[in-house]
Each structure stands twice: as C-alpha cells, then as structure tokens.
Amino acid sequence: MLKLLRIFTVGMSAALLLIAGIIVFLICGQIEQNFLSSAHNSNRTLSWSIANTATPLLPPLFTEIDNYADSPSLILDTPMVRRLDAAISRDVLGAPVSEINVRNQQGRIIYSTSAYLLYKKRIDDGFKAAVTGEEITLHRAISKPTPNGGRRIHDFFVTYLPILEGGNGLPQGVISVQTDHSEHRAEVDKQQLISSLFIIGGLLLLYIIMMLCVWMVRRQHLRDHTNQSNLQEKLEHYTLHDQLTGLPNSCLLYTSDASDQEE
C-alpha cells in the first residue's frame, strides 16, 4: 500500500509539472499572438490613414527632390513639406510613430521624419514587396541599451504601402510607417508573468491538497496496521493465557512442548 502511494505521489508530481508547463506555454503563446495581431492591425490602420492624408501632397516632392540633391535638408523649409508635416502630425497625434518615410520607385527617400535620411537610397525587403504593389507589415524586435546599463527589447512594426500609381501600372512610390510598441510589450510581459504565476499557484495549491490527502490516507493506513497488530497480539495472548488469571493455559504448554520436541 505504501509503495503504491509513493508511486502515485511521484507520478502525480510529474504530471502536474507537465500540465503546468503546457498550460503556461499555451497561455503565454496566446497572449503573444494577440499582441502581435493587435499591433499589426493598429499599425496597418494608422499607415492607411497617413497614406490617404499624404498622397495628395506628395506629387511636388517627386519632381522637386532632385533639385535639392546637394543639400536635401533644405527641402524641409519649403511650403509643400511644411503642409505635409502639418497634415501628417494630425494623424500621428498620440500614436507611437517612430519614423515615416516616402520613397520613389528607385528607393530614394524623398520625405522622412528623420532628416538625416533625406535623399538616401534604402532598399529593404518591405520596399521590394511594396514597389510591386503589395502591402506588407513587418515585425522587428531590436535590442537597445538602456541608461542604467541594461538592454531593452523594442518591438517595431513597419507597414509598407504602395502609393501614387504611375502610368506603367506600378506604384510611383512607397510610404512606410514604423511604430514602436515597446510600452505595450511591457504590459504583455507583465500579463504573461501574472498568468504564469496564477497557473503555477493554482496547480501548487492542487498539489498541496493532493499531498494532504495522500498523507491522510497513509496515516490511516498506518493506524489500521497498528490496530490490527495490537488486535493480533491480544488474540494470541487470549489464546495462550487464561482470561481471568492471566496465567498460561494448556494451549501455551502444548505449544511449548511441541517446540521442545521439534528441537
């Protein structure tokens, strides 16, 4: 009986550990998937809003940008760029936008919220897809150092949209909107930690209850075994001794003689 209880305890402990790992993995995976899906849809919606606002204001840039090839930053002071900045600012107000770029068919950046990128040629996987007319959103997790000497993961989502259809059937340019969802990531990590602790705590409570039940069964088994042994001893005593005087009876004498004969 005790051996069966030990086997049951070890088996249930291993089973609970396995169940805890599977549940934590599934729950954390679902939370992560919800975060990625939400951030993807949010960035896509924002990108379309910015693209719809910016598209009517971009044609002059495609024709004028080459005139500022020697000093691209000068174009930032032109009225057309100021109008574009004002229009885009209204759309991105309160949104975690980290960078907006507009590129022509050759990958030349004709507008950017980062001035140092102006007139630079950048061709990446997202641009290659969007310049053929495909909309695409990419997730980029980048580790950056923090002021206290540690590192922090920044979750960037970049949506590439084809804009301004040209006469050849291909987009005349590509607009890319990059957002930083690191703050949301911190909340997701916290939610995953709380869910994991809750699951582990629940299974630990179940384990404690199970061990308590096993202990009670084991205790009852030992008690029954002790009572049975005591009862057996009493029966043997009553069999071999007189119940009134407590002196050995004939059964004990017969048992003793039989033992002597065997020796």
Side-chain angles (χ1 to χ4, degrees):
M1 179 67 177
L2 295 179
K3 184 177 180 180
L4 290 176
L5 286 176
R6 285 194 293 269
I7 294 174
F8 172 78
T9 301
V10 173
M12 286 302 298
S13 300
L16 284 177
L17 286 175
L18 179 61
I19 292 173
I22 292 175
I23 294 177
V24 168
F25 175 78
L26 293 177
I27 294 296
C28 290
Q30 186 61 47
I31 293 174
E32 178 72 14
Q33 185 61 37
N34 291 340
F35 161 68
L36 295 176
S37 178
S38 175
H40 179 280
N41 293 333
S42 174
N43 194 73
R44 181 176 179 273
T45 301
L46 177 63
S47 299
W48 272 110
S49 176
I50 294 174
N52 291 334
T53 298
T55 297
L57 304 175
L58 288 176
L61 276 176
F62 283 92
T63 57
E64 293 291 332
I65 189 65
D66 289 335
N67 297 330
Y68 295 86
D70 294 333
S71 300
S73 59
L74 294 179
I75 200 171
L76 297 176
D77 294 327
T78 60
M80 56 183 173
V81 172
R82 290 178 181 176
R83 287 195 299 270
L84 182 58
D85 283 335
I88 290 178
S89 296
R90 291 192 295 269
D91 287 335
V92 303
L93 185 63
V97 176
S98 59
E99 189 173 281
I100 300 173
N101 293 322
V102 177
R103 282 174 268 193
N104 60 19
Q105 288 181 336
Q106 291 73 40
R108 186 80 64 185
I109 298 177
I110 65 170
Y111 172 82
S112 177
T113 52
S114 300
Y116 69 92
L117 293 177
L118 281 173
Y119 210 70
K120 292 184 178 179
K121 194 172 184 179
R122 296 290 174 88
I123 299 177
D124 50 25
D125 293 338
F127 173 80
K128 291 178 182 178
V131 79
T132 62
E134 178 184 355
E135 173 194 341
I136 186 172
T137 299
L138 302 179
H139 172 222
R140 296 170 180 167
I142 301 175
S143 176
K144 292 186 177 182
T146 59
N148 58 6
R151 300 192 70 83
R152 179 183 180 185
I153 300 296
H154 288 256
D155 284 272
F156 292 105
F157 288 81
V158 190
T159 297
Y160 297 83
L161 298 176
I163 57 174
L164 300 176
E165 289 289 339
N168 56 1
L170 295 176
Q172 189 175 345
V174 171
I175 183 169
S176 60
V177 179
Q178 175 175 287
T179 54
D180 186 355
H181 290 262
S182 300
E183 297 299 327
H184 191 188
R185 161 62 67 186
E187 297 177 3
V188 169
D189 291 341
K190 182 178 179 180
Q191 186 178 358
Q192 288 178 330
L193 177 61
I194 293 175
S195 299
S196 299
L197 292 177
F198 180 78
I199 293 169
I200 293 174
L203 291 177
L204 180 60
L205 178 61
L206 179 62
Y207 177 79
I208 293 174
I209 295 174
M210 183 189 71
M211 289 297 101
L212 180 61
C213 293
V214 170
W215 176 79
M216 293 177 64
V217 171
R218 183 176 182 275
R219 182 183 178 186
Q220 186 63 40
H221 173 75
L222 292 175
R223 183 180 296 174
D224 293 342
H225 179 72
T226 302
N227 292 338
Q228 186 177 2
S229 298
N230 292 336
L231 181 60
Q232 183 69 26
E233 290 177 359
K234 288 181 180 180
L235 289 175
E236 291 178 357
H237 179 79
Y238 291 152
T239 303
L240 301 177
H241 295 78
D242 187 88
Q243 295 185 13
L244 294 177
T245 63
L247 297 175
N249 57 20
S250 59
C251 292
L252 178 61
L253 294 176
Y254 176 78
T255 303
S256 299
D257 292 342
S259 300
D260 292 340
Q261 293 177 2
E262 290 177 358
E263 292 178 356

